[in-house]
Amino acid sequence: MSGNDFGQLFQGVYTLITSETYIAVARIGLIILGLLLIYLGKKGVLEPLLMIPMGLGMATINASSMVMPDGSQGNLFVDPLTTDINKLLDLLQIDFLQPIYTFTFSNGLIACFIFMGIGSMLDISYILKRPFTSMIIAVFAEMGTILTIPIAMLFGLSIQDAASAAMVGGADGPMVLFTSLNLSKDLFVPITVVAYLYLGLTYGGYPYLIRALIPARLRGIKMTREKGNTKQISGGVKLGFASILCVVLCLLFPVAAPLFFSLFIGIAIRESGLMHVQNFIEGPLLYGSTFFLGMLLGILCEAHLILNPKILMLLVLGIVALLLSGVGGIMGGYFLYFVKKGNYNPVIGIAGVSCVPTTAKVAQKEVHKVNPQSMILPEALGANISGVITTAIITGLYITLFK
Amino acid sequence: MNVFNEIMFIYGMTFLISMFVALVIKMLAKTIEKLPEGGFSIAAVVTVAGNNIRQAMMRNKKTVSEFKKTAAGSNDELLNFYHER
């Protein structure tokens, strides 16, 4: 048995040995990282729903590189860079994940499906009861989404790439995917991977930021609520709100209309009492889309594809964006604390970062530790939902201004 | 400087649009709250909106008559007052 036969038989090993050193090292590194993500997902450090398919996808794709008929290295999963129509038609019949990538991922459909699921789980009565305070917090918490642009441009990124990277500060995965697909075709894979990796970390990182910036005395503030704010809001009001706001936002930003529509159709279905459809959207559709998104993100972490010289920069920019957004949100919390003369818990500010419902849960958890009698979850959820709306507004602005 | 302007523009726009959205939400919540039981009909919405407008007009009328009484202004002044309003 010659060496050539061995190579033909075990092509994964053969391509590892014969490829350039940095590619081989990157492949091994990504296999290890993939396995680590599975471990962290299982342990609950990172979101298992996303990290387990992503980790396995990442490890598998870097193990299964093979020699293609034309002598180049490739795989039988997906080729995201193909633009030639004839080749794409061939690939759709060969690469088993190509149909999912082409028909759901590269056109943003999967992001919209996830947004529908998020919409169907949102109870918007929190924002209906206190729209101005919620929106003010959300605008403050967009600091990272906006201020990261000049920082990214200092690193040498174009304004489109900078805007896509800055969207990580919005802490909304589907929005990052949608923006980078529109603005930054070459970088959308690393940007989205970085975004999803970091979103998993907000749950672990933001409590430290809260403790660092807000003293325990203020974290334990118990707010007194106005009388009107305890009233129940009917489903009809919420349905009316979703329908009209969707139309208004689509009139303002047609480029982000798919996202607005997806979010508000989820809310509309929930509030119109269509239980079967709601169960489908928040169950199979949301979980199925998240699973395929995680798997595809992992598969796209193939060494040749992800080894972009800008990846380190994106890792730094992602954390800067999330940090600035967190700081901005807390500044918003302080702003309202002073405006309301102390009857506002500044911890709510962190919930303006629109990682629904993670940041709201983080805020409540931190407050509960200091004062178990203080309940800020309704206000935090209002800010959280407003965060989704403001991030969608910024997505619309970025795509309109920079495309 | 250019980027700075752009950033300020985006932040300003985000703030304005968000406040506009908050205003829409507030008005929407208030209007729909006043609807009669089971009333999502156009007639009910129009009635509530009409009442709101009528009340606003009444307030305005009162202000104008107060203005007339206290300032006893000329027609020009009154017209200016209307324009300002």
XYZ file of all heavy atoms in Angstrom, chain A residues 281-370:
668
model
N -44.829 28.474 15.706
C -43.765 29.481 15.574
C -42.789 29.410 16.753
O -41.577 29.414 16.559
C -44.355 30.902 15.441
C -45.085 31.034 14.106
C -43.261 31.953 15.505
C -45.741 32.379 13.896
N -43.333 29.359 17.977
C -42.404 29.406 19.116
C -41.851 28.026 19.474
O -40.969 27.920 20.323
C -43.056 30.070 20.334
C -44.151 29.296 20.977
C -44.712 30.003 22.214
O -44.636 31.227 22.298
O -45.235 29.282 23.072
N -42.345 27.008 18.780
C -41.813 25.660 19.014
C -40.950 25.200 17.857
O -39.782 25.576 17.758
N -41.536 24.437 16.945
C -40.728 23.857 15.864
C -39.968 24.887 15.024
O -38.804 24.682 14.704
C -41.754 23.127 15.003
C -42.916 22.890 15.887
C -42.936 23.996 16.882
N -40.643 26.007 14.688
C -39.974 26.974 13.799
C -38.773 27.614 14.489
O -37.672 27.669 13.932
C -40.959 28.056 13.344
C -40.425 28.995 12.272
C -40.228 28.281 10.953
C -41.333 30.196 12.064
N -38.971 28.092 15.724
C -37.884 28.768 16.438
C -36.755 27.790 16.775
O -35.581 28.060 16.497
C -38.419 29.429 17.710
C -37.369 30.131 18.577
C -36.703 31.268 17.820
C -37.981 30.683 19.851
N -37.123 26.660 17.335
C -36.078 25.717 17.743
C -35.392 25.096 16.523
O -34.181 24.909 16.513
C -36.659 24.648 18.677
C -36.917 25.210 20.053
C -38.200 25.494 20.483
C -35.860 25.521 20.897
C -38.435 26.051 21.730
C -36.085 26.081 22.150
C -37.373 26.343 22.560
O -37.586 26.901 23.784
N -36.205 24.800 15.482
C -35.625 24.244 14.250
C -34.659 25.239 13.618
O -33.542 24.889 13.221
N -35.077 26.514 13.540
C -34.224 27.534 12.922
C -32.953 27.732 13.734
O -31.857 27.868 13.171
C -34.958 28.872 12.817
O -36.150 28.700 12.126
N -33.087 27.778 15.062
C -31.899 27.972 15.914
C -30.939 26.800 15.741
O -29.725 26.986 15.662
C -32.325 28.095 17.395
O -33.350 29.058 17.475
C -31.174 28.530 18.276
N -31.502 25.601 15.641
C -30.655 24.414 15.453
C -29.896 24.504 14.130
O -28.674 24.333 14.080
C -31.541 23.155 15.485
C -30.828 21.929 14.999
C -29.829 21.339 15.769
C -31.141 21.372 13.771
C -29.158 20.220 15.307
C -30.468 20.255 13.308
C -29.479 19.678 14.074
N -30.623 24.813 13.048
C -29.955 24.875 11.743
C -28.969 26.048 11.683
O -27.922 25.949 11.065
C -30.980 24.989 10.613
C -31.558 23.657 10.244
C -32.897 23.375 10.441
C -30.754 22.653 9.710
C -33.422 22.127 10.118
C -31.263 21.409 9.383
C -32.606 21.142 9.593
N -29.323 27.153 12.337
C -28.415 28.302 12.373
C -27.119 27.921 13.087
O -26.023 28.175 12.575
C -29.075 29.487 13.082
C -28.208 30.732 13.220
C -28.030 31.409 11.879
C -28.793 31.730 14.199
N -27.261 27.288 14.240
C -26.078 26.866 14.990
C -25.230 25.902 14.182
O -24.008 26.052 14.083
N -25.896 24.955 13.555
C -25.165 23.955 12.772
C -24.437 24.609 11.588
O -23.262 24.357 11.348
C -26.162 22.910 12.267
C -25.513 21.672 11.720
S -26.718 20.379 11.478
C -27.634 20.975 10.096
N -25.155 25.497 10.885
C -24.530 26.154 9.733
C -23.380 27.062 10.160
O -22.347 27.119 9.487
C -25.574 26.968 8.970
C -26.299 26.187 7.879
C -27.482 26.971 7.365
C -25.377 25.851 6.717
N -23.556 27.765 11.286
C -22.469 28.630 11.763
C -21.233 27.787 12.064
O -20.111 28.197 11.761
C -22.896 29.393 13.020
C -23.788 30.606 12.802
C -24.254 31.163 14.135
C -23.062 31.686 12.024
N -21.441 26.624 12.655
C -20.318 25.728 12.929
C -19.674 25.245 11.648
O -18.448 25.280 11.487
N -20.505 24.849 10.691
C -20.000 24.336 9.410
C -19.231 25.431 8.657
O -18.254 25.171 7.970
C -21.178 23.819 8.539
C -21.864 22.621 9.205
C -20.742 23.485 7.121
C -21.029 21.388 9.361
N -19.676 26.673 8.823
C -18.997 27.773 8.125
C -17.657 28.132 8.766
O -16.899 28.924 8.212
C -19.903 29.015 8.104
C -21.147 28.892 7.212
C -22.074 30.070 7.413
C -20.773 28.783 5.752
N -17.384 27.562 9.939
C -16.093 27.826 10.590
C -15.010 26.900 10.036
O -14.212 26.341 10.792
C -16.202 27.631 12.095
S -17.156 28.906 12.880
N -15.003 26.725 8.756
C -13.974 25.911 8.109
C -12.700 26.746 8.031
O -12.778 27.964 7.802
C -14.470 25.510 6.721
C -13.816 24.299 6.151
C -12.737 24.672 5.163
O -12.826 25.756 4.566
O -11.803 23.876 5.002
N -11.552 26.129 8.275
C -10.298 26.888 8.431
C -10.041 27.869 7.275
O -9.719 29.029 7.509
C -9.136 25.925 8.584
N -10.224 27.411 6.021
C -9.930 28.291 4.879
C -10.831 29.523 4.879
O -10.440 30.601 4.463
C -10.159 27.552 3.551
C -9.192 26.440 3.330
N -9.405 25.168 3.801
C -7.990 26.404 2.707
C -8.393 24.397 3.461
N -7.502 25.123 2.810
N -12.060 29.292 5.369
C -13.070 30.341 5.277
C -12.964 31.350 6.414
O -13.112 32.554 6.224
C -14.451 29.659 5.328
C -15.612 30.393 4.714
C -15.430 30.533 3.223
C -16.895 29.638 5.013
N -12.684 30.828 7.597
C -12.714 31.711 8.777
C -11.362 32.361 9.055
O -11.276 33.344 9.773
C -13.233 30.962 10.017
C -13.722 31.971 11.064
C -12.175 30.039 10.621
C -14.705 31.432 12.021
N -10.306 31.792 8.446
C -8.977 32.373 8.696
C -8.819 33.684 7.944
O -8.188 33.774 6.912
C -7.890 31.400 8.275
C -7.328 30.512 9.378
C -5.999 29.946 8.966
C -7.183 31.235 10.706
N -9.479 34.657 8.461
C -9.411 35.975 7.865
C -8.509 36.813 8.761
O -8.638 36.756 9.986
C -10.836 36.552 7.825
C -10.935 37.783 6.978
O -10.176 38.718 7.178
N -11.849 37.779 6.039
N -7.584 37.596 8.164
C -6.700 38.402 9.019
C -7.467 39.339 9.940
O -6.940 39.805 10.945
C -5.851 39.195 8.017
C -6.313 38.849 6.674
C -7.303 37.758 6.748
N -8.748 39.585 9.595
C -9.519 40.532 10.396
C -10.194 39.873 11.594
O -10.836 40.557 12.395
C -10.580 41.187 9.513
C -9.970 42.120 8.470
C -11.020 42.635 7.530
C -10.395 43.547 6.470
N -11.299 43.834 5.371
N -10.068 38.558 11.727
C -10.835 37.862 12.776
C -10.452 38.317 14.182
O -11.319 38.510 15.033
C -10.720 36.319 12.636
C -11.658 35.592 13.610
C -9.324 35.805 12.865
C -13.001 35.341 13.084
N -9.136 38.525 14.400
C -8.689 38.982 15.732
C -9.289 40.343 16.051
O -9.758 40.596 17.156
C -7.172 39.067 15.766
C -6.456 37.903 16.470
C -4.957 38.107 16.441
C -6.945 37.741 17.905
N -9.260 41.185 15.010
C -9.818 42.526 15.153
C -11.310 42.444 15.501
O -11.805 43.164 16.367
C -9.650 43.221 13.796
C -9.738 44.699 13.807
S -9.827 45.273 12.123
C -8.332 44.664 11.421
N -12.005 41.528 14.826
C -13.444 41.382 15.075
C -13.716 40.890 16.495
O -14.691 41.290 17.133
C -14.072 40.414 14.060
C -14.098 40.910 12.622
C -14.584 39.813 11.685
C -14.994 42.132 12.485
N -12.832 40.015 16.974
C -12.986 39.529 18.352
C -12.881 40.689 19.342
O -13.652 40.796 20.284
C -11.917 38.471 18.658
C -12.192 37.072 18.096
C -10.954 36.197 18.187
C -13.348 36.401 18.814
N -11.904 41.574 19.076
C -11.725 42.738 19.959
C -12.924 43.682 19.830
O -13.510 44.121 20.833
C -10.412 43.494 19.609
C -10.285 44.774 20.434
C -9.216 42.596 19.835
N -13.322 43.951 18.576
C -14.421 44.899 18.355
C -15.730 44.398 18.954
O -16.520 45.175 19.491
C -14.599 45.151 16.850
C -13.498 45.972 16.193
C -13.664 45.989 14.685
C -13.497 47.403 16.726
N -15.945 43.089 18.870
C -17.172 42.504 19.429
C -17.269 42.755 20.920
O -18.312 43.192 21.424
N -16.176 42.526 21.609
C -16.214 42.711 23.075
C -16.315 44.199 23.425
O -17.009 44.571 24.369
C -14.994 42.020 23.748
C -15.329 41.663 25.200
C -13.735 42.833 23.744
C -15.413 40.210 25.445
N -15.656 45.047 22.617
C -15.749 46.501 22.852
C -17.201 46.955 22.680
O -17.749 47.703 23.501
C -14.821 47.268 21.877
C -15.134 48.758 21.879
C -13.367 47.054 22.251
N -17.839 46.457 21.604
C -19.219 46.867 21.316
C -20.156 46.458 22.453
O -20.973 47.260 22.919
C -19.675 46.244 20.003
N -20.014 45.217 22.913
C -20.905 44.747 23.983
C -20.648 45.482 25.296
O -21.574 45.787 26.049
C -20.738 43.243 24.185
C -21.510 42.381 23.193
C -21.136 40.919 23.336
C -23.019 42.529 23.382
N -19.370 45.769 25.534
C -19.004 46.491 26.762
C -19.588 47.906 26.743
O -20.205 48.362 27.708
C -17.477 46.545 26.879
C -16.935 47.033 28.212
C -17.202 46.003 29.294
C -15.424 47.276 28.119
N -19.414 48.591 25.592
C -19.942 49.963 25.477
C -21.461 49.980 25.612
O -22.033 50.869 26.243
C -19.528 50.568 24.131
C -18.087 51.053 24.022
C -17.795 51.522 22.603
C -17.840 52.212 24.986
N -22.109 48.982 25.017
C -23.579 48.931 25.120
C -24.009 48.730 26.566
O -24.964 49.373 27.032
C -24.147 47.800 24.254
O -24.021 48.134 22.908
N -23.311 47.836 27.260
C -23.630 47.603 28.676
C -23.434 48.862 29.492
O -24.301 49.252 30.288
N -22.302 49.542 29.268
C -22.012 50.791 30.004
C -23.073 51.847 29.661
O -23.597 52.537 30.542
C -20.591 51.301 29.665
C -20.356 52.686 30.252
C -19.542 50.327 30.176
N -23.404 51.942 28.365
C -24.420 52.897 27.917
C -25.751 52.628 28.592
O -26.422 53.553 29.070
N -26.150 51.365 28.644
C -27.412 50.999 29.283
C -27.434 51.424 30.739
O -28.421 52.012 31.221
N -26.332 51.168 31.432
C -26.275 51.538 32.858
C -26.299 53.064 33.004
O -26.939 53.597 33.915
C -25.031 50.911 33.526
C -25.250 49.392 33.626
C -24.781 51.493 34.916
C -24.071 48.599 34.100
N -25.649 53.769 32.070
C -25.726 55.238 32.090
C -27.183 55.692 31.946
O -27.633 56.636 32.608
C -24.892 55.833 30.949
C -23.407 55.937 31.273
S -22.415 56.285 29.813
C -23.045 57.852 29.313
N -27.912 55.004 31.064
C -29.343 55.292 30.899
C -30.099 55.054 32.197
O -30.988 55.826 32.569
N -29.738 53.969 32.879
C -30.361 53.658 34.173
C -30.107 54.774 35.173
O -31.022 55.209 35.885
N -28.861 55.274 35.213
C -28.519 56.382 36.115
C -29.280 57.655 35.726
O -29.745 58.398 36.580
C -27.010 56.649 36.071
C -26.231 55.822 37.070
C -25.275 54.903 36.643
C -26.451 55.961 38.440
C -24.556 54.133 37.549
C -25.742 55.205 39.355
C -24.794 54.293 38.908
O -24.108 53.549 39.811
N -29.380 57.883 34.423
C -30.083 59.073 33.934
C -31.521 59.079 34.466
O -31.992 60.071 35.027
C -30.057 59.073 32.395
C -30.886 60.147 31.765
C -30.476 61.473 31.794
C -32.094 59.847 31.133
C -31.248 62.467 31.216
C -32.869 60.838 30.557
C -32.446 62.148 30.591
N -32.204 57.928 34.318
C -33.594 57.853 34.786
C -33.673 57.872 36.318
O -34.641 58.358 36.889
C -34.284 56.615 34.224
C -34.641 56.723 32.739
C -35.230 55.427 32.219
C -35.632 57.862 32.484
N -32.632 57.345 36.969
C -32.582 57.379 38.435
C -32.610 58.834 38.914
O -33.327 59.186 39.849
C -31.311 56.663 38.903
C -30.967 56.878 40.361
C -31.655 56.210 41.369
C -29.941 57.758 40.717
C -31.336 56.414 42.710
C -29.612 57.963 42.043
C -30.307 57.292 43.042
O -29.993 57.493 44.352
N -31.842 59.693 38.219
C -31.820 61.105 38.617
C -33.103 61.821 38.195
O -33.649 62.626 38.944
C -30.588 61.812 38.034
C -29.320 61.376 38.710
C -28.334 60.696 38.016
C -29.121 61.620 40.074
C -27.173 60.268 38.658
C -27.971 61.203 40.718
C -26.994 60.522 40.003
N -33.585 61.509 36.977
C -34.816 62.151 36.503
C -35.979 61.812 37.424
O -36.800 62.672 37.756
C -35.124 61.706 35.046
C -36.528 62.132 34.633
C -34.107 62.306 34.083
N -36.067 60.566 37.837
C -37.191 60.135 38.686
C -36.887 60.310 40.176
O -37.543 59.691 41.013
C -37.535 58.680 38.373
C -38.156 58.522 36.985
C -38.616 57.108 36.745
C -39.366 57.023 35.445
N -40.796 56.934 35.581
N -35.878 61.054 40.435
C -35.500 61.418 41.822
C -35.343 60.190 42.723
O -35.897 60.116 43.823
C -36.522 62.390 42.413
C -36.568 63.703 41.651
C -37.497 64.683 42.342
C -37.495 66.001 41.614
N -38.446 66.103 40.522
N -34.629 59.213 42.208
C -34.288 58.057 43.031
C -35.271 56.900 42.949
O -34.988 55.813 43.444
N -36.430 57.117 42.298
C -37.413 56.027 42.201
C -37.191 55.216 40.919
O -38.114 54.987 40.134
C -38.828 56.608 42.237
C -39.874 55.511 42.292
O -39.608 54.411 42.784
N -41.052 55.792 41.776
N -35.970 54.823 40.680
C -35.671 54.001 39.501
C -34.390 53.227 39.795
O -33.394 53.806 40.236
C -35.473 54.888 38.260
C -35.586 54.116 36.974
C -36.827 53.861 36.393
C -34.453 53.621 36.344
C -36.940 53.135 35.226
C -34.555 52.898 35.167
C -35.803 52.662 34.615
O -35.912 51.942 33.452
N -34.446 51.939 39.556
C -33.269 51.114 39.806
C -32.349 51.139 38.580
O -32.747 50.671 37.503
C -33.708 49.685 40.113
C -32.591 48.880 40.721
O -31.451 49.011 40.311
N -32.907 48.075 41.710
N -31.136 51.680 38.708
C -30.272 51.820 37.525
C -29.862 50.498 36.887
O -29.428 50.476 35.728
C -29.051 52.581 38.050
C -29.135 52.572 39.519
C -30.534 52.291 39.914
N -30.023 49.397 37.631
C -29.658 48.081 37.058
C -30.510 47.767 35.823
O -30.068 47.068 34.912
C -29.809 46.966 38.131
C -29.472 45.603 37.568
C -28.914 47.261 39.320
N -31.724 48.328 35.780
C -32.619 48.073 34.633
C -31.920 48.457 33.330
O -32.177 47.876 32.280
C -33.943 48.869 34.792
C -34.669 48.399 36.048
C -34.852 48.706 33.588
C -35.803 49.310 36.469
N -31.005 49.423 33.413
C -30.301 49.893 32.223
C -29.662 48.772 31.419
O -29.683 48.798 30.183
N -29.136 47.773 32.095
C -28.437 46.698 31.368
C -29.406 45.941 30.467
O -29.025 45.379 29.434
C -27.711 45.746 32.362
C -26.552 45.017 31.673
C -28.634 44.709 32.953
C -25.316 45.780 31.511
N -30.699 45.953 30.848
C -31.702 45.230 30.059
C -31.999 45.922 28.733
O -32.634 45.342 27.853
C -32.978 45.070 30.864
N -31.508 47.156 28.571
C -31.673 47.829 27.282
C -30.873 47.149 26.191
O -31.156 47.306 24.998
N -29.863 46.391 26.579
C -29.106 45.596 25.598
C -30.018 44.432 25.222
O -30.386 43.619 26.063
C -27.779 45.079 26.198
C -26.979 44.330 25.162
C -26.970 46.237 26.757
N -30.360 44.378 23.926
C -31.546 43.593 23.553
C -31.331 42.089 23.410
O -31.766 41.499 22.443
C -32.102 44.131 22.248
O -31.141 43.954 21.237
N -30.663 41.484 24.337
C -30.481 40.039 24.281
C -31.672 39.426 25.042
O -31.561 39.086 26.204
C -29.155 39.694 24.949
S -28.570 38.054 24.581
N -32.806 39.318 24.325
C -34.066 38.912 24.990
C -34.049 37.433 25.360
O -33.756 36.612 24.503
C -35.269 39.175 24.064
C -36.568 38.809 24.751
C -35.292 40.613 23.627
N -34.428 37.045 26.549
C -34.671 37.852 27.735
C -33.465 37.840 28.673
O -33.605 38.171 29.848
C -35.853 37.128 28.368
C -35.587 35.671 28.080
C -34.804 35.626 26.784
N -32.300 37.430 28.145
C -31.135 37.196 29.004
C -30.792 38.393 29.886
O -30.641 38.253 31.098
C -29.904 36.829 28.138
O -30.298 35.792 27.261
C -28.747 36.378 28.978
N -30.659 39.587 29.266
C -30.201 40.735 30.052
C -31.239 41.152 31.101
O -30.868 41.621 32.177
C -29.853 41.921 29.140
O -30.876 42.062 28.171
C -28.526 41.728 28.448
N -32.533 40.956 30.783
C -33.572 41.272 31.781
C -33.442 40.323 32.972
O -33.562 40.734 34.131
C -34.954 41.156 31.149
N -33.168 39.053 32.649
C -32.999 38.068 33.725
C -31.769 38.389 34.565
O -31.785 38.300 35.790
C -32.881 36.658 33.122
C -34.230 36.002 32.947
C -34.262 34.837 31.986
C -33.228 33.782 32.119
N -33.321 32.755 31.070
N -30.684 38.782 33.881
C -29.446 39.143 34.590
C -29.726 40.296 35.552
O -29.311 40.275 36.717
C -28.333 39.529 33.575
C -27.176 40.226 34.260
C -27.828 38.300 32.840
N -30.454 41.319 35.049
C -30.757 42.493 35.873
C -31.540 42.081 37.117
O -31.183 42.459 38.244
C -31.542 43.514 35.049
N -32.605 41.292 36.916
C -33.437 40.889 38.055
C -32.618 40.065 39.064
O -32.728 40.246 40.276
C -34.655 40.097 37.558
C -35.557 39.573 38.661
C -36.125 40.667 39.559
O -36.704 41.635 39.081
N -35.944 40.529 40.865
N -31.776 39.187 38.519
C -30.972 38.313 39.387
C -30.033 39.136 40.272
O -29.906 38.891 41.480
C -30.143 37.384 38.492
C -30.042 35.960 39.012
C -29.427 35.103 37.945
C -28.404 34.175 38.525
N -27.710 33.408 37.501
N -29.406 40.154 39.657
C -28.463 40.984 40.414
C -29.171 41.810 41.492
O -28.647 42.005 42.578
C -27.702 41.913 39.462
C -26.629 41.225 38.653
C -25.654 40.456 39.529
O -25.041 41.068 40.413
O -25.514 39.231 39.330
N -30.363 42.290 41.151
C -31.136 43.074 42.122
C -31.598 42.163 43.257
O -31.517 42.525 44.435
C -32.348 43.739 41.418
C -33.301 44.339 42.432
C -31.862 44.823 40.480
N -32.058 40.979 42.897
C -32.580 40.030 43.890
C -31.505 39.652 44.921
O -31.810 39.466 46.096
C -33.093 38.782 43.166
C -33.752 37.798 44.071
N -35.047 37.944 44.505
C -33.283 36.670 44.654
C -35.348 36.950 45.308
N -34.300 36.149 45.424
N -30.256 39.585 44.456
C -29.164 39.220 45.372
C -29.018 40.248 46.496
O -28.697 39.909 47.628
C -27.835 39.130 44.593
C -27.627 37.778 43.940
C -26.275 37.756 43.262
C -26.172 36.564 42.345
N -25.061 36.695 41.406
N -29.223 41.527 46.146
C -29.045 42.592 47.135
C -30.323 42.809 47.941
O -30.280 42.992 49.156
C -28.653 43.923 46.434
C -28.352 45.000 47.455
C -27.448 43.703 45.537
